[in-house]
Amino acid sequence: MAKVTLAPRKGFLSENPSVLRFLGLLTVFTLIVTALSEGFGAGIVSTSFLKVLGMTLCLCLIAVAMDVVWGYCGILSLGHFAFFGLGGYGIGMWLMYARTEGIVRESLANAPIPATEGEVRDAIATQIFSVVGSTELPFIWGFAHSLTLQLLMIVLVPGLLALVFGWLAFRSRVTGVYLSILTQAMTLALSLYLFQNDTGLRGNNGLSGLQNIPGLLHLPQSTIALWFFWASALALGLGYLLFAWLVSGKFGSVVRAIRDNESRVRFLGYHVESYKLVVFTVTAIVSAIAGALYYPQAGIINPAEIAPITSIYLAVWVAIGGRGRLYGAVIGAATVSLLSSWFTGGGAPNIDLGFYEIVWTDWWLVLLGLGFVAVTLFFPKGIGGLFDYLVRKP
């Protein structure tokens, strides 16, 4: 009787070489930008552009999360930028509190009578909330004094919101366009709520000065920007690795089957709602982490960042890059983000036609819409699909 020898199972990375290629390219990109940055000494890449690159990496991370929930699971969520914004508010609360606490303690250091901790907290609350006519610290700022607790909130709050929302929506078997409308309604409700001055997050004023990191005020912004750039690159690499692993095995096969034919998967005995809930919640948490890294580089966050239109833009990025391909989401987000910075930041020269002057800051959204239509018509698989075609073409 012949002896049967089973070949050893390959590892995850050996079965998915594209993941290694992406991580390698990301590493090379990070090293090149670091060597050219002002913080490292070369000064070729300015600090402002380094921040743009760091923010772009964060947008690539949320785009990958969106691609998993939409491109792989088939849930067109128009609310994932809300989780992104919640992560920004989470880290922003600690940044504003810690920075204001330092200012208050310094101003009270020479007082004839040492201030009590209660007086310090009252002074902090007055400094932060006087802009909305309040002098009390809202209860939601209860953990803002602790970076560890606030980082925990960045994960727990968006994760719990996604878990509760997803459980209610999926158990009711809301699908398709109705689910998209429901996620958009959630985002709109959250945005309108945050615009109110009595929400405890300074209403329309939002949280500002986030680029000033407490305890590191002696360091130049070029160094701080470089650190955040590294953190954003690391988060993108780990997030990409997590999602590539998530969609590669049996779990990923079931998720793609749900996207293609949910009823058949349910008939085969799989608990569809649980799979969708896991995807929705995990992607929401990763989106919040991306937001927590993005807004300290942007320097400010306000309720407009959570408006439904931002989540629609996110879907456009993924569609342009090519949904159902993790690297496609990265390509789409990076392309749109960098082009947006170029057109709206004065990089693109205006064109004077004599009878009319084309100002790109006014026309950028039109270009984005035309680009989305063109990709949909001529490259339905997005830029990533075009790349696949060029690579595999004999």
Side-chain angles (χ1 to χ4, degrees), residues 3 68 103 130 138 199 240 247 251 319 326 352 379 392:
K3 183 178 180 181
V68 172
I103 296 173
S130 59
T199 59
Y240 193 96
V247 301
F251 185 91
L326 297 182
D352 189 358
F379 309 108
R392 297 171 184 174

Side-chain angles (χ1 to χ4, degrees), residues 80-91:
H80 263 55
F81 226 90
F83 304 123
F84 186 84
L86 287 176
Y89 268 106
I91 195 62

Side-chain angles (χ1 to χ4, degrees), residues 133-257:
S134 177
T135 58
E136 296 182 359
L137 198 67
F139 75 95
I140 61 174
W141 288 67
F143 299 130
H145 65 281
S146 171
L147 176 59
T148 302
L149 293 177
Q150 204 60 32
L151 290 176
L152 190 61
M153 291 299 104
I154 289 172
V155 174
L156 290 180
V157 173
L160 184 60
L161 175 60
L163 183 66
V164 173
F165 176 87
W167 183 77
L168 292 174
F170 301 145
R171 72 185 293 267
S172 301
R173 297 192 179 181
V174 180
T175 59
V177 66
Y178 300 103
L179 182 57
S180 300
I181 293 173
L182 201 59
T183 58
Q184 191 174 42
M186 175 199 71
T187 306
L188 179 60
L190 181 60
S191 176
L192 293 177
Y193 174 74
L194 292 177
F195 267 113
Q196 303 177 44
N197 288 336
D198 58 356
T199 59
L201 292 171
R202 301 186 0 138
N204 187 47
N205 299 281
L207 308 181
S208 58
L210 307 185
Q211 74 278 6
N212 301 311
I213 311 301
L216 300 176
L217 298 179
H218 61 286
L219 294 176
Q221 278 294 309
S222 58
T223 300
I224 299 297
L226 185 58
W227 289 358
F228 270 102
F229 174 76
W230 289 343
S232 301
L234 178 62
L236 175 58
L238 293 177
Y240 193 96
L241 187 62
L242 168 66
F243 287 130
W245 172 78
L246 195 66
V247 301
S248 64
K250 177 183 176 182
F251 185 91
S253 298
V254 175
V255 165
R256 285 190 289 271

